[in-house]
Amino acid sequence: MGNRMTDGPRQGTGGDGARGATVEDVVLNANTAFYNAFEAGDLDLMAAVWLPEPDPVCIHPGNAAISGYAEMMRAWAMIFANTPYIQFFLTDVQVRVDEDVAYVTCTENVLSSGEGAPEDGFAGGKALATNVFRRTSSGWRLWIHHASPVLSSSGGRQEEAE
């Protein structure tokens, strides 16, 4: 990848990164800002991550696509109201940049409480995510988020094992 920094996205940084950062680093920082806003349950931070126009799209695991900025922000408000705790551990993170569009693919290893979790407990899950960003005058903004649940622990390699 040619990055000067090899530690991946730095937690707690949502800006455009340090001087000397590659474009890939800056996109990874924007990706980290998305997950930081999600974990914080902060609607203002989440609103700042997304590209308002053209219509952004968000697809959560097992749900229909949400299109349009206003509809998406309403959906995030509902998610935050019903998710007391969520934490993401990202693995298999890869970034690609092509001029003013970039995408990050990753595995979301999720720990959460709330709906679907045992009473007084936590639930774990895994999803594969693609986050598409567009470069704007104010930095890279999330345009499309699509997460699909991982239904087996084999990682889709069942054909190879047989």
Side-chain angles (χ1 to χ4, degrees):
M1 208 165 26
N3 292 348
R4 292 182 198 177
M5 293 174 248
T6 58
D7 61 346
R10 291 169 299 284
Q11 291 296 318
T13 59
D16 283 349
R19 184 182 315 224
T22 66
V23 169
E24 289 84 1
D25 290 327
V26 175
V27 171
L28 288 171
N29 285 339
N31 193 66
T32 297
F34 167 64
Y35 289 101
N36 287 347
F38 201 156
E39 287 180 353
D42 188 316
L43 198 56
D44 290 334
L45 287 177
M46 187 60 78
V49 166
W50 283 90
L51 181 73
E53 295 291 333
D55 281 351
V57 176
C58 187
I59 304 172
H60 293 291
N63 289 291
I66 303 164
S67 296
Y69 189 77
E71 186 65 28
M72 187 180 315
M73 288 304 113
R74 281 192 289 278
W76 282 115
M78 292 300 296
I79 289 168
F80 293 161
N82 292 295
T83 307
Y85 176 85
I86 192 162
Q87 187 172 9
F88 293 88
F89 301 94
L90 302 182
T91 56
D92 309 313
V93 179
Q94 296 186 16
V95 60
R96 299 286 182 271
V97 178
D98 185 9
E99 297 188 18
D100 291 338
V101 176
Y103 67 86
V104 176
T105 58
C106 59
T107 301
E108 299 175 345
N109 301 280
V110 185
L111 181 63
S112 65
S113 67
E115 190 176 326
E119 189 174 335
D120 296 326
F122 293 92
K126 185 183 283 193
L128 300 177
T130 302
N131 297 317
V132 180
F133 295 84
R134 288 184 66 167
R135 188 190 325 247
T136 71
S137 59
S138 58
W140 289 91
R141 296 294 175 255
L142 187 56
W143 186 24
I144 301 166
H145 169 72
H146 184 175
S148 298
V150 176
L151 301 178
S152 71
S153 60
S154 67
R157 296 190 188 102
Q158 289 177 329
E159 298 83 19
E160 297 173 16
E162 292 178 85

